[in-house]
Amino acid sequence: MNALLAGLTLLIIGDSHVTFKDTLLSVLPDEFTRQGARVVTYGVCSSTAADWVVPNPNNGCGAAERIGTAPIGAPDMKPASPPPVAELIAKWHPDAVMVILGDTMAAYGQGAVSKDWVDEQVKSLTYTIGRTACIWVGPTWGQFSPRYGKTDQRAMEMASFLKGEVAPCTYIDGTALLRQGSVSTTDGIHATPESYRVWGNAIVQAALPELEKLKSPAAAGQ
């Protein structure tokens, strides 16, 4: 077997970008599985980084769990807490954790990002992930809408700030993967299925070299 990621287990966690059908929840597990990885994915709409450490029960806009490439059903729309990442790591023993978070902490529509608060959020999660290899995917471009107030300027600010925050995780800058203005959305933040496909494929290509480094010698010889 010559799949690049054969023998590797990848745990993906994130916000609404990995909670619904035709989002990254559709693209990333399918593509990483095609590369040979075992993939488990959990998404909770509106979740922030610290919610995956100390679960916050107030997130009520949807939650999803996808094991491998299982069919994607309707998300659980009851108020949902993210499962603690420490428990997920203990359950699945991943070689790497991929975090898809940024938009929910960017204070869109507000005067400024609370950088101390974001720092606390991010550090709590990276500390809990601990020695497990980690890849953090930051936000990409959107479109302004009154509902969320996302702007290119704030997306760039958040992407740049996260770059210096997420160590020891490897950082993938979503704004660097796609051309500014190229992302079509349904509401300013959430991409159309086609834009999610393009973004997801770009994430996979950026992450593959990092994930390939983690393959065990036994898996590498398959």
Side-chain angles (χ1 to χ4, degrees):
M1 184 176 180
N2 196 33
L4 284 175
L5 304 182
L8 184 140
T9 298
L10 175 63
L11 169 64
I12 302 174
I13 63 173
D15 54 23
S16 56
H17 294 305
V18 285
T19 301
F20 303 98
K21 187 177 181 180
D22 296 325
T23 67
L24 298 179
L25 179 63
S26 296
V27 182
L28 297 182
D30 288 359
E31 290 301 318
F32 285 124
T33 298
R34 192 171 291 122
Q35 297 293 341
R38 177 192 186 212
V39 186
V40 287
T41 310
Y42 294 83
V44 178
C45 179
S46 82
S47 59
T48 65
D51 293 339
W52 293 87
V53 179
V54 179
N56 173 4
N58 297 319
N59 290 304
C61 59
E65 171 187 326
R66 190 183 187 200
I67 309 303
T69 58
I72 301 173
D76 182 353
M77 299 304 290
K78 298 190 299 290
S81 299
V85 71
E87 293 182 8
L88 295 178
I89 290 172
K91 178 177 181 177
W92 297 108
H93 306 289
D95 298 284
V97 177
M98 176 173 281
V99 179
I100 315 286
L101 284 171
D103 277 329
T104 57
M105 299 181 289
Y108 296 131
Q110 300 179 32
V113 175
S114 174
K115 293 185 176 179
D116 288 344
W117 178 78
V118 174
D119 175 77
E120 184 178 345
Q121 291 273 326
V122 171
K123 294 296 193 292
S124 67
L125 182 53
T126 56
Y127 178 83
T128 304
I129 291 171
R131 294 185 177 181
T132 305
C134 171
I135 295 174
W136 193 301
V137 181
T140 194
W141 309 107
Q143 295 167 322
F144 179 78
S145 76
R147 179 177 180 182
Y148 292 110
K150 181 171 182 174
T151 63
D152 286 354
Q153 181 179 1
R154 179 60 58 83
M156 289 176 64
E157 179 186 357
M158 189 65 181
S160 177
F161 183 62
L162 283 175
K163 184 176 182 178
E165 288 288 302
V166 302
C169 297
T170 298
Y171 184 57
I172 295 177
D173 182 348
T175 62
L177 294 179
L178 303 176
R179 179 173 51 81
Q180 186 174 1
S182 68
V183 179
S184 297
T185 71
T186 59
D187 58 11
I189 286 185
H190 301 99
T192 61
E194 173 61 18
S195 282
Y196 269 125
R197 186 188 64 77
V198 173
W199 184 24
N201 287 335
I203 291 170
V204 170
Q205 293 307 309
L208 278 176
E210 297 300 321
L211 293 173
E212 198 176 1
K213 296 175 188 175
L214 303 175
K215 286 176 60 173
S216 68
Q222 290 182 4

